[in-house]
Each structure stands twice: as structure tokens, then as C-alpha cells.
Amino acid sequence: MLKKVLAGIMCMLMAAGTLTSCGKEQNGTSGTATNDTTQAGTSENTTAAETSEAATVENVDIANFTAPEKGDTIIVMKIKDYGTVKFRLFPEYADKGVENFVELAKKGYYDGLKFHRVIKDFMIQGGDPLGTGMGGESIWGEKFDGGTDPHLIHVAGALAYANSGGTNTDGSQFYVVTGTVPKDDELEYYKQNGLALSDNAIAQYKKVGGAPWLDGNYTVFGQVIDGLDVIFKIQNVSVDANSSKPYKDVIMESVTVGEYNGEDIHWYLDEYEEFDADEIANSTGKENMDIANFTAPKEGETIVSMKLKGYDGEVKIKLFPEYADQGVENFITLAKQGYYDGLTFHRVIKDFMIQGGDPKGDGTGGESIYEKGFDGGTDPHLIHAAGAVAYANSGSTASNGSQFYIVTGEVYGKEEIDELKSYGYAFTENEEKVYSTYGGAPWLDGNYTIFGQVFDGLDIVFDIQNAEVDESTSKPKKDVVIESMTVSEYKGGDVRWSISDYK
């Protein structure tokens, strides 16, 4: 039952293993939209091409744990509710990277920004004003090449720039490594797959842990000298399994430039007091919101009705302006303009969703009523239950346009929900109840703007999902055409949320 679901999850887990700071334009809903990234999440998908001989590297001294001199410039980062982290900088090995970070900090660029991506036993990532992983800039107004230096490696506490395919795409986004201590067989695996690690680097990784597969691909420019426990506490917060975004914001109150005055240095985690990781995870989880998908429309409320060629009846959609105001405005306006009339559902995946709204009919077109794509955001009151209507996007809700999809999904029993939980998905009590009653596609939650719910004609949607499609594109072999999309006021009538309500 979960075969297609788990395939989608694995795509997203692979995407979650990258340190990215920008994205491509591509409309999709199932985790297939990709970013311009370098692979960095797990050793399985980050190693270089296999070689018959392991690569060699000069055995230089590792500089990460060299103490700063009195008067050296340091970075002081105060993180709300967690504490203060201090970083030593390495201008001798990463001059442009240090200059960029120091000048951005002096401008207050990072103050108030979030850690938008947290992956336990790997890293915490921030520095994007958009909070999505799609934004940010350097002091030069464009990307810069910070390079790499073998004296600096990705040990626990290392500070480095995220990039979108090479160090020449460094910007403002950065990450701090947590990682794990590699075992001998892991180190051997890296070696046999072309990752060159010097004896000195291996000694450091075996002592403090880190993420060695990142070496040589990202600009390391700093190291935590105090507050490493703060970084490790943050890596335990509860996050959305798709996006790795914390459910509760982790905010940088301030990032300032200071001087090292000879205070104590604490490089290693065992120098700090122990903390309860489970307590942190439990206190930062999802709030058990009321789910609004199945609240009935009131008389006089604006609804959208969709007539499909060759089908009796209409698909009627309740809208949620209180939770997705821009998304509703965009959809209503386009419908009134006749934008959707005559378009097709170009992508249909059984037990998942049907997708349409693209004038090109291939998933690459469409536009919003606004000058560019718009950010419709997400709201936890709306989830991807069967019948949910949402916008397709190309990597974030900031790229919403005209394309939309309607969820079909599957009903989840306890076994299936437990299986999803094993992949890192968190369910509130109310969400679990909805997905086990009505079904849906829970792995999409938090990544797409839901703005409506089918309250009549759901049988038509489920009929369309059975259309014969091209296996490579999921496009129906026979066009499924939107004959008309009309906006009207609800004047009473049937409200049938569940597919079981139809005969």
C-alpha cells in the first residue's frame, strides 16, 4: 500500500540531505521538484564516483581547533531560548568567506532570521531572509567563490556556507556541523569511493565527529569556541520530515562581531553539561490544531464549481480565505477570468492526486494574478486529506502560480501511520484521526499551500485518478478537460466529504 508513498519519501529524504541555497523552476507536488544542490546528506549519495584506487591528500595540520589570539575578531550569535554561541574565524584560509560573514553581521543582516533547516546528527542551517532555503545574498550582491582549504574540515562545530552546486555560489546561508563519530568501516567506505581524508583529518573526526563527506565541496570559515551545546540542543528540535524545518521557530536574536579577550574555550561537547534530547524534541513538536478541511460552507459563502467534459455533475470546492487569503484570491480571480476553462489535468497518479491548471499542459507553465509567483504559505489547520485542493510549486510556496492539484491518497491504518512515523513523520492526534478516516497524502503537509476542499463531486476526482496514463509523464492518454470553472455563492445542498458518501 505504501509503495508509492515511500518512493516519494525517499526522494524527499535525499533532497533533505543537501545543503542548498537556491532552487530551480519546476512545478510538482510529490517531492520530485529538485534544487540546484550538491549532495551532502548521507554517505550513500554524497561520495565521488567509485575508483579503483583511493584518492590521496596532503596530510596538513587541521586548523579547526587552533585557539584565537587575544584581539582576534569573533562572531557572537545569540539564539532565542537556547543561548549564545561564539565562533572563531579563519581569514588566513577563507578570507572572502570571513569578510562576507563579518560585514553581513555588522549590518544586522542575520538578526531575527531563523534556522530553517535542522537535521539531527548532521547540521543546522540558517541565514536565509526568506526562511525557505531559496534566498539570501552576499555583501557583493551576488554569489561569490569562497573556495576550500584542506586545513579546515567539517568536524563538529565547523561553520560553513551552504551552496547550490559549488563554492562559487556562496551567499549568506550557512550551517553549523553536528555530525557523528565515523566508524572504521564508514571511513573505509569513504576512502574506496574516492573521498580523500588525511590521517590528521581522520584523527579529528574519530575524536569529535562531524560530516567528512562534505570536505572539499563547501567553504568552511569558522569553528565554535563556546556554546557547542547550544548547537547540539537545537539539532534535537522536532522538525517537518519533508523540509527539515523546525515546527517551532529557532531564531537568531542577534549576530554580532566582537573580539576574543582570552576567555575559556570549549571545543568539545563533553565539556558541557548534559541535556535531555528527548525533552527538547517533545517540547518543540506540532501543536494539536483543529483541522478545518471539513468545516461546511455557510450560505452565501463563495465557492468554486468545476465542470469536467464527459462527466455528469460538478466538483464543488469550499475555500479557506481565513487560512490562505492570497491562494484563494488567486484561484477565484483566475476562475472568473476563464483562465482554467479548456485546460486539462496533465498529471494523474492513482492513490495520490490529479494535477491541472497549466496552459502548456505539461507542468512547466502557468502564472498567478500577481506580477510573479506568490508565496501562499501553509497553515496547520489545513492538511492533505482526500479532497484537499492545493497549489503545485517548484521548491517552495513562494513559487505558487496557477497549477493546482486535488488529493485522492489512501486511508492510513495504524500500521501505515506507524510506518510513516518511522520515516520521521510527526502526526498530531487530530491529523491521525483525519488520515485514518478520510485518507490523503500526509507527506505533503507543510510544503504546499492548501486553499480548498472538495465538498461535492469527490467521486469525479476519484474516477479521474483511474484514467490510463503515460507511465513516464503520468499524463492521461485521453485528455481530461476542465469545461468550465465558475465562482458562485453557496445556497445549500449536499455536503459529502468522504468518498464513502457516494454511491
Side-chain angles (χ1 to χ4, degrees):
M1 181 179 181
L2 287 179
K3 185 177 181 181
K4 288 190 293 295
V5 174
L6 297 181
I9 290 170
M10 291 311 297
C11 287
M12 284 183 256
L13 289 178
M14 289 174 69
T18 62
L19 293 165
T20 175
S21 58
C22 69
K24 287 183 181 177
E25 289 299 316
Q26 178 178 333
N27 284 310
T29 62
S30 63
T32 56
T34 60
N35 290 329
D36 291 331
T37 64
T38 51
Q39 298 297 321
T42 61
S43 59
E44 287 77 11
N45 62 16
T46 60
T47 53
E50 291 191 13
T51 57
S52 56
E53 275 186 34
T56 58
V57 65
E58 185 181 358
N59 194 34
V60 300
D61 292 334
I62 302 304
N64 293 65
F65 300 112
T66 53
E69 298 287 339
K70 197 169 183 179
D72 279 356
T73 297
I74 63 170
I75 293 293
V76 181
M77 182 182 296
K78 294 183 179 179
I79 304 174
K80 186 178 181 181
D81 299 327
Y82 290 92
T84 299
V85 185
K86 296 180 180 180
F87 297 91
R88 183 221 200 283
L89 301 172
F90 299 94
E92 64 271 39
Y93 299 120
D95 55 347
K96 291 189 75 174
V98 169
E99 180 186 5
N100 181 63
F101 201 82
V102 167
E103 293 304 315
L104 288 176
K106 285 180 177 178
K107 288 164 53 177
Y109 185 93
Y110 293 115
D111 299 353
L113 299 191
K114 306 169 187 175
F115 283 95
H116 63 272
R117 195 153 169 260
V118 173
I119 302 177
K120 184 174 169 62
D121 297 331
F122 180 26
M123 60 89 220
I124 68 173
Q125 183 174 337
D128 175 13
L130 298 178
T132 62
M134 306 286 284
E137 60 183 1
S138 72
I139 58 172
W140 300 285
E142 56 186 17
K143 303 296 184 182
F144 72 97
D145 193 345
T148 65
D149 190 288
H151 294 88
L152 297 173
I153 62 175
H154 284 83
V155 286
L159 173 66
Y161 285 106
N163 68 48
S164 55
T167 58
N168 62 337
T169 61
D170 291 349
S172 64
Q173 289 190 48
F174 66 91
Y175 58 94
V176 187
V177 176
T178 55
T180 58
V181 176
K183 298 177 182 177
D184 288 340
D185 59 346
E186 292 176 84
L187 292 169
E188 182 61 27
Y189 179 86
Y190 298 148
K191 182 178 179 183
Q192 294 305 317
N193 284 272
L195 179 60
L197 294 173
S198 70
D199 290 343
N200 288 343
I202 290 172
Q204 291 293 348
Y205 281 123
K206 293 186 75 169
K207 180 178 182 181
V208 302
W213 63 88
L214 301 181
D215 288 348
N217 295 296
Y218 300 87
T219 304
V220 179
F221 64 96
Q223 183 73 31
V224 174
I225 58 173
D226 196 30
L228 187 64
D229 59 331
V230 172
I231 303 299
F232 272 76
K233 286 176 183 177
I234 293 170
Q235 79 156 353
N236 286 287
V237 300
S238 185
V239 301
D240 179 270
N242 294 336
S243 63
S244 299
K245 184 176 181 178
Y247 289 121
K248 293 189 177 179
D249 290 344
V250 180
I251 300 172
M252 290 176 268
E253 286 186 312
S254 64
V255 179
T256 57
V257 179
E259 282 188 1
Y260 177 65
N261 294 313
E263 57 266 34
D264 288 343
I265 291 174
H266 304 285
W267 299 115
Y268 312 118
L269 192 60
D270 60 9
E271 299 177 49
Y272 300 86
E273 290 185 11
E274 292 186 5
F275 56 87
D276 189 332
D278 289 337
E279 183 180 347
I280 294 170
N282 292 335
S283 67
T284 56
K286 280 184 177 181
E287 187 178 346
N288 191 30
M289 298 280 193
D290 291 334
I291 304 304
N293 293 61
F294 304 113
T295 50
K298 297 177 181 178
E299 194 161 335
E301 187 176 311
T302 299
I303 63 170
V304 170
S305 300
M306 180 169 55
K307 182 74 174 71
L308 293 156
K309 189 175 180 180
Y311 289 88
D312 294 330
E314 294 178 317
V315 177
K316 296 181 180 180
I317 301 168
K318 173 184 167 56
L319 303 169
F320 299 93
E322 65 271 38
Y323 300 122
D325 54 347
Q326 280 192 295
V328 169
E329 181 186 9
N330 183 65
F331 196 70
I332 286 175
T333 305
L334 290 176
K336 285 180 177 178
Q337 292 173 353
Y339 185 95
Y340 292 116
D341 298 355
L343 301 190
T344 63
F345 281 93
H346 62 272
R347 189 160 174 249
V348 171
I349 303 177
K350 184 175 170 57
D351 298 330
F352 181 24
M353 59 91 216
I354 66 173
Q355 182 173 335
D358 176 12
K360 292 185 177 181
D362 61 5
T364 63
E367 59 187 354
S368 73
I369 62 172
Y370 310 103
E371 186 176 349
K372 297 180 179 178
F374 69 98
D375 191 346
T378 65
D379 191 287
H381 294 90
L382 298 173
I383 65 175
H384 283 83
V389 187
Y391 285 106
N393 67 49
S394 55
S396 82
T397 58
S399 58
N400 291 340
S402 63
Q403 290 190 48
F404 67 93
Y405 59 94
I406 306 176
V407 175
T408 56
E410 297 179 285
V411 174
Y412 289 81
K414 186 179 184 305
E415 183 179 339
E416 287 80 19
I417 285 175
D418 287 345
E419 189 167 1
L420 283 175
K421 286 179 179 177
S422 74
Y423 282 89
Y425 285 82
F427 291 89
T428 66
E429 182 181 343
N430 290 340
E431 289 171 346
E432 190 167 331
K433 183 176 180 180
V434 167
Y435 285 121
S436 62
T437 302
Y438 298 96
W443 65 92
L444 301 181
D445 287 344
N447 294 289
Y448 300 88
T449 302
I450 301 170
F451 62 92
Q453 181 76 28
V454 174
F455 70 88
D456 196 27
L458 188 62
D459 56 334
I460 297 173
V461 175
F462 271 73
D463 193 19
I464 292 170
Q465 78 161 350
N466 291 305
E468 187 179 0
V469 300
D470 180 281
E471 289 187 4
S472 62
T473 63
S474 299
K475 185 174 183 176
K477 292 184 177 179
K478 182 180 178 181
D479 285 347
V480 179
V481 181
I482 300 171
E483 193 171 291
S484 64
M485 189 96 75
T486 57
V487 180
S488 63
E489 291 184 356
Y490 178 64
K491 296 180 180 179
D494 291 338
V495 174
R496 297 181 289 177
W497 301 116
S498 175
I499 191 62
S500 63
D501 294 333
Y502 301 81
K503 302 297 182 182

